[in-house]
Amino acid sequence: MLIGLGVMIVSFILVGVLAIWGVKYTRRHIHEDRKKKFAAAKYLLLLGIVVAVGYIIFAKKFSHNIDLVMSWILLASGCFFASGLAFFIGYYHEKENSK
């Protein structure tokens, strides 16, 4: 029970760290070209897809440990959220400067 709770707390912390990293990276490279500006969003999206595909493939093996499965889903959706956050910061800045 405590191990599953610890894994979930670690997943929350990891999602927060990834979101902060994505935002800082995007804001640091906000005035550069699109490839560099959206790199953090691309890497976070790729990480989210890999974690989600891993969940789909290996979820049956871990069905007895619901805490692990929930933290896996949390990590995948958190990566998608962090990717969207980093993308929309860059997109909004690009849209504001094009006016």
Side-chain angles (χ1 to χ4, degrees):
M1 178 73 180
L2 289 177
I3 293 173
L5 183 62
V7 171
M8 289 188 69
I9 290 171
V10 168
S11 292
F12 272 116
I13 292 170
L14 189 59
V15 165
V17 167
L18 288 173
I20 290 170
W21 172 76
V23 168
K24 281 187 175 185
Y25 185 89
T26 303
R27 293 190 74 194
R28 186 177 322 129
H29 299 289
I30 199 84
H31 296 293
E32 297 186 22
D33 62 338
R34 289 178 62 93
K35 188 174 182 179
K36 184 105 176 172
K37 184 189 316 183
F38 295 121
K42 176 179 70 172
Y43 294 138
L44 287 170
L45 182 66
L46 183 64
L47 180 65
I49 290 172
V50 167
V51 171
V53 167
Y55 171 75
I56 292 169
I57 293 172
F58 298 112
K60 291 279 187 187
K61 294 180 182 178
F62 295 109
S63 63
H64 62 279
N65 191 352
I66 194 69
D67 293 333
L68 182 63
V69 172
M70 287 176 51
S71 65
W72 205 338
I73 293 170
L74 174 73
L75 188 60
S77 61
C79 287
F80 290 134
F81 173 75
S83 173
L85 190 64
F87 173 76
F88 282 116
I89 286 173
Y91 177 76
Y92 183 73
H93 182 268
E94 200 172 78
K95 187 176 176 183
E96 286 293 315
N97 286 344
S98 67
K99 289 183 178 179

